[in-house]
């Protein structure tokens, strides 16, 4: 379940975007192996955009993501808190992008787990030199929730991707992509 609300028109000097997401992950088979993976996730965030030019905005974003594991003995219940600052632009019909830098923190409910904070970033750039061609590049470092509860406390994910899409005709196009991802597993 998710929703997004915006206050203020595109191009206004200031505007606010609010979003919320609720997700519950449940497994139907093999409960002995999947019981510890079941969790409820609540993601709440807000972004304030401030226009500094005709097609450029500075942004400040705050986000809280709560991970509530259903297994009573889980030590991975936690809250991720993110504070982001960045810039978004739509310079021409051909070039647009967003760059964000933030402080990410994970606070565990269990005293046996060590809380952490680290700096993250996210950058996305899109370039369309002609109508039928689009190139995109993205890079970032961000925390991810563990896929091995009880063994790994969290994952620091570093990823980059570039793509090129060409439309040759109404019925024929291609996309060429290259990506790199490196996950660092933290045992806290």
């Amino acid at each position: 379940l998710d929703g997004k609300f915006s206050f203020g028109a595109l191009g206004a000097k200031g505007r606010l975007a609010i979003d919320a997401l609720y997700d519950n992950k449940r497994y139907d088979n093999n409960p002995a192996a999947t019981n510890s993976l079941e969790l409820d996730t609540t993601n709440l965030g807000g972004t304030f955009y401030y226009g500094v030019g005709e097609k450029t905005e500075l942004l400040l974003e705050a986000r809280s993501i709560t991970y509530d594991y259903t297994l009573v003995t889980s030590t991975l219940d936690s809250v991720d808190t993110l504070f982001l600052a960045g810039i978004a632009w739509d310079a021409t019909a051909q070039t647009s992008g967003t760059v964000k830098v933030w402080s990410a923190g994970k606070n565990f409910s269990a005293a046996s787990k060590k809380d952490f904070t680290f700096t993250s970033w996210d950058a996305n750039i899109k370039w369309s030199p002609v109508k039928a061609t689009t190139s995109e590049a993205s890079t970032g470092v961000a925390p991810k929730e563990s896929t091995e509860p009880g063994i790994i406390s969290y994952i620091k994910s570093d990823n980059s991707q570039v793509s090129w899409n060409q439309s040759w005709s109404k019925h024929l196009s291609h996309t060429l992509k290259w990506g790199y991802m490196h996950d660092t597993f933290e045992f806290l």
Side-chain angles (χ1 to χ4, degrees):
L1 177 65
D2 70 280
K4 296 179 183 182
F5 303 96
S6 289
F7 304 97
L10 289 175
K13 192 70 170 170
R15 63 186 175 95
L16 180 64
I18 298 171
D19 61 271
L21 173 103
Y22 175 78
D23 183 49
N24 66 352
K25 184 188 285 185
R26 301 294 186 270
Y27 295 91
D28 293 330
N29 61 349
N30 198 3
T34 59
N35 224 9
S36 64
L37 299 174
E38 295 184 348
L39 77 148
D40 297 328
T41 305
T42 305
N43 185 332
L44 304 171
T47 307
F48 177 72
Y49 295 89
Y50 181 76
V52 293
E54 189 176 318
K55 296 188 176 194
T56 304
E57 298 174 307
L58 298 179
L59 62 94
L60 293 173
E61 181 175 339
R63 180 162 307 284
S64 175
I65 307 168
T66 303
Y67 300 100
D68 183 16
Y69 286 83
T70 60
L71 189 63
V72 176
T73 57
S74 176
T75 60
L76 292 177
D77 290 351
S78 62
V79 176
D80 289 0
T81 306
L82 296 88
F83 296 102
L84 303 88
I87 187 168
W89 70 92
D90 195 358
T92 66
Q94 298 168 325
T95 307
S96 63
T98 305
V99 176
K100 298 177 186 178
V101 177
W102 69 87
S103 173
K106 182 179 251 338
N107 298 306
F108 289 98
S109 298
S112 63
K113 295 288 184 183
K114 186 176 123 189
D115 298 342
F116 73 90
T117 302
F118 67 90
T119 302
S120 298
W121 72 86
D122 181 54
N124 298 288
I125 299 171
K126 185 176 180 179
W127 180 52
S128 301
V130 293
K131 186 178 180 180
T133 302
T134 303
S135 297
E136 295 184 51
S138 64
T139 184
V141 170
K144 288 191 328 189
E145 193 64 6
S146 172
T147 54
E148 296 291 334
I151 300 170
I152 300 167
S153 293
Y154 77 94
I155 302 167
K156 185 176 176 183
S157 181
D158 181 355
N159 61 74
S160 298
Q161 180 175 302
V162 293
S163 68
W164 169 46
N165 182 280
Q166 179 69 46
S167 294
W168 299 101
S169 69
K170 186 177 178 180
H171 302 289
L172 180 64
S173 68
H174 80 267
T175 300
L176 179 64
K177 286 186 179 182
W178 173 87
Y180 166 83
M181 183 170 33
H182 180 262
D183 286 342
T184 303
F185 298 92
E186 298 294 335
F187 304 90
L188 301 176

